[in-house]
Amino acid sequence: MKVRTILIGLAMAVTLTGCSTQAATLDSGMPNQSPANQSTNVDNSINSDTVQISSEQDRGTDSSAQLKKEEKKVLMEPITLYEVDSKEFAKKTSEIPSYYKGEISYVTQAEMESFNEGHSVTLGSPLERTIMGISNLIPNEYLPDPSIDQQLAKEQGGTHLDKTVKITTAGGIVFTKNPYNKETESTIVDVQVPEWGTYSVTWKTGQGSGIELIQKIVFTKAENFNVELVAKPLLLYAISEDLLKKDVLKIPYYGIGTLGHVTNEEIQSINEGHSPWKATPLLTAEFMTANLVPKHVDPKEVSYRVVRVEHENQENELTIVEAQVPSCGIYTIALNNAGKDNNTISFITRIEFKPTS
């Protein structure tokens, strides 16, 4: 069956504050969980011992200041925005999801062959791939920036070597490529954005090509986080139009930050009346974006609502869900329903983010 969508450029917000980093695996167990039964480890309490301050020991310290310090620590916990199971990299490069400026697609066989023949060498450089490939996540515009090319030229190919390399943009954004990790067979590039935070981007290669692909993106909010930096929503995730034309079983499925694929067995189970929430866009959006809700936020305080529903025919339907997270931001989530039997499964096709104060 073919799936088509109209990706809406609707303002959507995703909280880039510290969130739960629970890993998600799309095995037979996780998708069958009900959102109502999902275990949420939220601890809003603070140990009284860390708050009580003796005036004799420290007369200059205010307990409220200590509380604020503890709250900041929670808010700055890293969150996983995107992840591909590392086991997927045992496959051919062309069979592994590729993240570029928020859009998910696949490297073509022609691109692999071209790279292997010595063309488009930047595809094998984690540093250069990061600079070009995650501009969608950074509120400060930094491309085009002639200073970047000048700094890269001075490295004379050093961005591929096992050494630390730093590139600083004219706007003060710092890209730091760390040495290749032989144990994990990956390279991490850290991106520090003034008044915003730090992205840690992990790169790995698949089989048959040295083209680098993003395996994981983790964000840590800065203490001096400035919501006014975002003039328009940031695109966090989007399935490419080409992929949306494929069979639903071949379209990456976003589940609590991690990509996977639905199976025929899962769709059959839904048709038989099991896990009906998987065919409900509102509940799918709530459960499958749980990784984007900060630990300090009570899930009951997050407001989810359907903004709009569109459809081209009875087999394809697009739903826009808005999630408002207190003191964090608003997520706008686009979901497609696919299947001939009452649109049997709902999956996320786009996530955008705009923070709020």
Side-chain angles (χ1 to χ4, degrees), residues 196-341:
W196 186 256
T198 301
Y199 292 98
S200 180
V201 187
T202 302
W203 294 85
K204 291 176 70 69
T205 59
Q207 304 303 308
S209 176
I211 293 177
E212 295 282 347
L213 301 174
I214 292 179
Q215 188 262 321
K216 191 174 185 178
I217 302 175
V218 177
F219 178 80
T220 304
K221 180 182 175 183
E223 288 190 37
N224 59 338
F225 187 77
N226 183 2
V227 299
E228 296 181 358
L229 292 177
V230 179
K232 60 181 180 180
L234 298 179
L235 174 65
L236 297 186
Y237 174 86
I239 298 294
S240 69
E241 285 286 353
D242 289 340
L243 274 183
L244 285 167
K245 296 175 183 178
K246 295 182 178 295
D247 186 282
V248 68
L249 301 181
K250 297 181 179 180
I251 300 175
Y253 187 89
Y254 187 96
I256 318 183
T258 301
L259 293 194
H261 288 86
V262 296
T263 64
N264 276 319
E265 291 75 17
E266 186 175 355
I267 292 179
Q268 182 179 351
S269 176
I270 297 172
N271 288 335
E272 293 173 352
H274 306 294
S275 303
W277 66 269
K278 294 178 184 177
T280 307
L282 185 63
L283 294 179
T284 298
E286 179 178 353
F287 186 37
M288 292 306 184
T289 61
N291 57 299
L292 301 175
V293 178
K295 275 187 176 181
H296 74 284
V297 176
D298 186 337
K300 296 179 181 179
E301 296 180 356
V302 181
S303 174
Y304 294 86
R305 70 187 183 94
V306 174
V307 176
R308 187 167 71 255
V309 177
E310 300 179 3
H311 60 84
E312 296 181 4
N313 52 53
Q314 294 181 349
E315 295 180 10
N316 298 299
E317 185 174 86
L318 174 69
T319 302
I320 305 298
V321 174
E322 185 177 272
Q324 294 188 350
V325 184
S327 303
C328 297
I330 303 173
Y331 296 82
T332 302
I333 309 160
L335 304 98
N336 269 79
N337 272 15
K340 295 183 179 180
D341 300 321

Side-chain angles (χ1 to χ4, degrees), residues 133-179:
I134 70 160
S135 58
N136 58 295
L137 297 175
I138 299 177
N140 312 63
E141 183 63 41
Y142 67 91
L143 294 174
D145 184 345
S147 68
I148 295 177
D149 290 333
Q150 295 169 7
Q151 293 175 74
L152 289 172
K154 289 181 180 179
E155 294 297 331
Q156 298 179 342
T159 59
H160 302 265
L161 303 179
D162 296 341
K163 68 175 184 178
T164 300
V165 179
K166 287 190 177 183
I167 299 294
T168 303
T169 71
I173 300 171
V174 181
F175 294 84
T176 303
K177 184 200 78 69
N178 298 287

Side-chain angles (χ1 to χ4, degrees), residues 67-80:
L67 275 170
K68 291 180 179 179
K69 182 177 180 180
E70 293 295 327
E71 289 173 356
K72 280 187 176 181
K73 182 177 180 181
V74 172
L75 286 171
M76 291 186 291
E77 289 182 357
I79 65 171
T80 298

Side-chain angles (χ1 to χ4, degrees), residues 25-34 266 275 277-278 287-288:
T25 55
L26 297 178
D27 55 18
S28 59
M30 191 279 292
N32 287 322
Q33 288 180 292
S34 166
E266 186 175 355
S275 303
W277 66 269
K278 294 178 184 177
F287 186 37
M288 292 306 184

